[in-house]
Amino acid sequence: RFFNILDESPWLDADQSTTRSLTKHSHHLFSICVYSDTMLFAGSVCVILRWTKHGDHWRSDSKMLLERRNPDKAATAAATAAGAGGRQPRGEAPNVWALEAVRSQRLLVSGDSVGNVSLWDTTSCTLLTTFTNRQGGHQGLVNALAVSADESIIYTAGVDQRIGLLAYLPQQKNHAIALPSAVDETLPSPEDWRSAGGLYPHSHDVTCLAVAKHGALASGSHDWHVNIYPKARSQQSLQRFVTLGHLPEHAARHVHVGSGEGFTLLQY
């Protein structure tokens, strides 16, 4: 749904505040990313939906499908032992819990319930690369994503208490980059995004991230703490942070950082 936030009066009535609703999806929607004035994305079960604006109308014109996680060996063995009547398990359907954009490279970043962090081309809706648990992703659900002001670092956070860094580290190549035909090969290669380590600064799930224009990173957790990292440019710099005092229960569930150097907003 779209809301008119410029006119304060409609907010007094929830029914009047909605200016437009898009076509209802058949499953839950867990995340949303407004990529531009004419394009937005929403994460659901096993899929990311794209809407684009044509004139005065918004249309759902493309989908990005996520693969199901392979079922565990015990479930597969049980189905095989049951013979022809045994139904093979389909595997876990990932929910897309977080979305962010790297607009300078036309990338959409997704984090899902399996722990994968994936990069997608926003024009062709093509999967470019995925960081699994062993490659810089997470053990379990990815709760939040954030992108640095210069769009050279992607911050990730999950239920494994970890804050991860994916850094854009371009290298000169002597051969052509093998990209899908629909992707503009003049853009940076997704191969130049690499895991730059991570840190476990919280004692519970890291539920939210926010980045200020001057470079500071903030993280909130179910451990009731908000951490402020003044210069979050590397794994080493993440080790230097300021922890706000013990907050009321669930106070650190949502956090926003203002553009000024001394402003942090908590939502609870």
Side-chain angles (χ1 to χ4, degrees), residues 23-29 39-52 59-67 96 99 108 110 119-128 182:
T23 304
K24 185 177 181 180
H25 185 49
S26 58
H27 291 285
H28 299 292
L29 297 178
M39 185 182 298
L40 62 86
F41 298 88
S44 183
V45 181
C46 272
V47 67
I48 300 171
L49 306 170
R50 185 182 74 177
W51 280 273
T52 55
R59 300 175 184 172
S60 178
D61 60 359
S62 190
K63 298 179 180 180
M64 309 176 189
L65 300 178
L66 284 74
E67 293 185 0
V96 182
L99 292 173
L108 181 72
S110 67
L119 304 183
W120 307 80
D121 176 69
T122 58
T123 302
S124 63
C125 291
T126 304
L127 176 63
L128 300 176

Side-chain angles (χ1 to χ4, degrees), residues 189-208:
S189 168
E191 297 174 358
D192 291 331
W193 285 94
R194 299 181 179 86
S195 172
L199 194 67
Y200 295 83
H202 290 280
S203 61
H204 214 294
D205 305 12
V206 184
T207 55
C208 51

